[in-house]
Each structure stands twice: as C-alpha cells, then as structure tokens.
Amino acid sequence: MKNIISLVVLVSSISFAQSEQTKSLIELKQLSEVNSRQLAVGSLQSAVNSSQSTVHSQQLAIINHQPSSINHQPSSINHQPSSINHQPSSINHQPSSINHLQVSSIQYPASDNQKKNPALAILYSMLLPGMGELYAGDYSSGKYFTIADGVLWGAFTGFEIYGKWKENDYKSFAESKGGVKLSGKEAEYFANIGIYQSIDDYNTAMELNRNFDKTYNTAIYYWKWNDNNQRKEYRDLWSSSESAYTNVRFVVGALILNRLISAVNAVRLVSAYNKNLSQEISWNISVGLNNHPTLPTSITFNFVKSF
C-alpha cells in the first residue's frame, strides 16, 4: 500500500513539474514577443528622429514631438522564474481596441507677412520723398528722392537768403540815393522806380496812357535819381533780388514734383510687393502607430494643410 501511494505522489510531482515547465516556456515566449515589439518601435523612432533632423536642418519647426508617450519599461519585467506570477486571466485581450500613438508632429509655420497699404506709401512720400519706397521694402530707388529733397531744401534756403539780402540792398540804395520813404510801399512801387527816372516821369507816362488810377501821390511816393547810371545800379540790385525769389518759386515747384514722383514710385513698389507676397500655407504632418493584439503593427501618416 505504501508503494502505491509513493508511486502516485511521484507521478503527481512529475506532472506538476511538467506543467510548471510548460507555463515557464509560455511566459518566456510572451516576453520574447514583447521584446520584439519594443525593438520594432525603437527602429521606427530612429527613422522618425532621422526625418525630424532633416526637417530641422531646413529650418522647419518641429512641434508636438512626443516619443515619450510610448512607455518603454523593460525593467518592469522581472526575469526571475521563481517570482513570475502566472495569471493568464490578467491579460485583457480586446481585439476591437486600436491604440493610435502619435509619434511626431511637424508644423511648418505660416508666413506672417502682411500686405502694404498704398495710401500709407503716398503719405510717407509726401512727408519725405523716399520714405514711401522704404515702407514698400525697396529703398534702392527711394534714396535718390531723399537726396534730391535735401539738395532742393538747401537751394531753397540759399536763394531765400540771397534774395532777402539783395532786397535789403536795393531798398537801402533807394532810400539813400533816390530819396524814397520805405514805409508802406508795395513791391510794384520798387519795380517802377527802377524804370522811371523820377515820380514826375512816371505820372506823365501814366496820364499819357490814360491810366490815371495808377498815378502816385508825389508827397508819399516821391523818388528822383540823380542820373541814369544811378537808376541802372538800383535796377541791377532789384533784378538780382527778384531773380533769387524766382528761383525760390522754381525750387518749391521741384519739391512738390519730387514728392509726386516719389509717391507714384512708392505705389508701384507696394503693388509689386503685394503681388509677390507668398501665400500663407501651414502644413501639419503626424505619424501614428497602430497596435492590434491579433494583427501586425501598422503605421499611419496624416497630412493637414491650411491656408
């Protein structure tokens, strides 16, 4: 009887040992499959990282890069046969669930350039020629308008000072040599005293031409030159002053014309800038990993373009 019991115990021990060995082999096979999947994911990450390095070298922004979302924890597997907890029921197989993992997201930033306003270009050119071209982004031609404006303002100042200087000279000459009283006299009076020898000659000429309303009061508008040479000397001083003031008027016209041409050129440059303005485009590229318990692992790529 004891021998039979011993035999049963021995057979039971052998069966249990074989069962334990079989379970150990199953567990090792599962661990091998887990390691294989981890190696595949690591290879995929290396490829994605290489692609991202190439994109970065082209100065493209790389955002939403989340490789850390893949939880690689090989250390959590305890490779000790005696400590493996064989609980096949703890493995939750859900064939219908698909784990989509976004490996990387590449964002190509859109252009932040804005269109230029032609009205502002005109305003800037009117204030200072060349500034409209600078606003349009092309000062290569605008600088010449700015330089010309500076030269014209210099000429304006020079002619204005010279004209005033000669005006003071001919008025002083008329007062000292011709007996002219300067107060209350208009510009036409100073022009006439350089043409006629005296007020009597002037009034006689106006009466002969029946322009009685243009005659002068001899008490207020008196003048008389000693000789014709004295009158001519005064006339030269007056002509120099008037020529300077005439040049001032020409300079003012040139300043206005310079601004108009600069404004037209600035509008042309703004129009060209707006036409060449690149269209704002944004690309988003994402790479996903689909894990299915009963199917091979697959990769998905998503491309999104926005305007």
Side-chain angles (χ1 to χ4, degrees):
M1 187 65 178
K2 291 182 179 180
N3 292 332
I4 293 173
I5 293 173
S6 300
L7 182 60
V8 171
V9 172
L10 179 60
V11 171
S12 299
S13 300
I14 294 173
S15 298
F16 180 76
Q18 289 179 350
S19 177
E20 291 292 332
Q21 183 177 4
T22 301
K23 292 180 180 180
S24 298
L25 290 174
I26 292 172
E27 182 65 24
L28 291 175
K29 184 177 180 180
Q30 291 176 349
L31 292 176
S32 178
E33 290 178 355
V34 171
N35 290 332
S36 298
R37 290 185 180 181
Q38 292 174 351
L39 290 175
V41 172
S43 299
L44 176 61
Q45 287 179 338
S46 299
V48 171
N49 290 334
S50 177
S51 175
Q52 290 172 348
S53 299
T54 304
V55 173
H56 180 73
S57 65
Q58 297 174 354
Q59 299 181 348
L60 300 176
I62 300 177
I63 61 172
N64 297 328
H65 180 65
Q66 299 177 349
S68 61
S69 60
I70 302 175
N71 188 11
H72 300 292
Q73 296 181 352
S75 61
S76 62
I77 301 173
N78 189 0
H79 299 283
Q80 294 181 2
S82 60
S83 62
I84 296 176
N85 186 9
H86 300 284
Q87 296 180 356
S89 60
S90 65
I91 300 175
N92 187 10
H93 297 287
Q94 297 179 354
S96 60
S97 63
I98 299 176
N99 297 325
H100 180 77
L101 177 62
Q102 183 176 343
V103 177
S104 66
S105 178
I106 304 173
Q107 179 75 28
Y108 294 82
S111 175
D112 58 353
N113 293 330
Q114 299 295 328
K115 288 187 176 182
K116 304 291 186 180
N117 190 345
L120 283 177
I122 294 175
L123 177 61
Y124 292 150
S125 293
M126 288 299 178
L127 293 176
L128 179 62
M131 292 301 98
E133 287 83 353
L134 183 63
Y135 168 73
D138 185 4
Y139 192 58
S140 58
S141 59
K143 62 184 179 182
Y144 298 109
F145 293 103
T146 305
I147 294 172
D149 193 70
V151 172
L152 290 173
W153 276 112
F156 175 87
T157 303
F159 286 130
E160 185 72 20
I161 293 174
Y162 181 78
K164 191 66 177 178
W165 173 35
K166 288 298 180 181
E167 180 181 356
N168 293 332
D169 285 348
Y170 75 69
K171 286 182 177 180
S172 297
F173 187 86
E175 184 179 23
S176 62
K177 303 296 182 180
V180 175
K181 295 179 180 179
L182 300 178
S183 61
K185 304 301 186 296
E186 63 277 2
E188 185 180 3
Y189 171 80
F190 290 105
N192 290 331
I193 66 177
I195 299 173
Y196 298 93
Q197 190 71 21
S198 67
I199 189 173
D200 294 331
D201 293 342
Y202 172 80
N203 286 339
T204 301
M206 293 298 105
E207 290 172 356
L208 290 174
N209 293 326
R210 296 183 180 277
N211 294 324
F212 300 104
D213 57 332
K214 291 185 178 181
T215 58
Y216 289 135
N217 187 330
T218 56
I220 300 174
Y221 292 93
Y222 175 82
W223 85 89
K224 184 177 181 179
W225 303 111
N226 294 330
D227 53 36
N228 195 45
N229 291 332
Q230 195 175 64
R231 182 190 63 80
K232 287 182 178 180
E233 185 178 356
Y234 167 83
R235 182 72 180 182
D236 291 339
L237 292 173
W238 178 87
S239 296
S240 297
S241 176
E242 288 299 310
S243 296
Y245 286 140
T246 300
N247 291 333
V248 168
R249 288 188 284 270
F250 278 117
V251 171
V252 171
L255 287 169
I256 296 174
L257 182 61
N258 187 45
R259 280 162 169 73
L260 292 176
I261 297 175
S262 176
V264 172
N265 187 52
V267 170
R268 180 184 64 84
L269 293 175
V270 166
S271 178
Y273 175 87
N274 291 337
K275 288 182 180 179
N276 295 330
L277 190 64
S278 59
Q279 187 180 22
E280 295 185 358
I281 300 177
S282 176
W283 286 88
N284 185 283
I285 304 174
S286 63
V287 181
L289 179 65
N290 291 331
N291 292 325
H292 197 286
T294 60
L295 295 176
T297 302
S298 60
I299 302 173
T300 58
F301 295 88
N302 294 325
F303 298 88
V304 179
K305 181 175 70 172
S306 61
F307 297 90

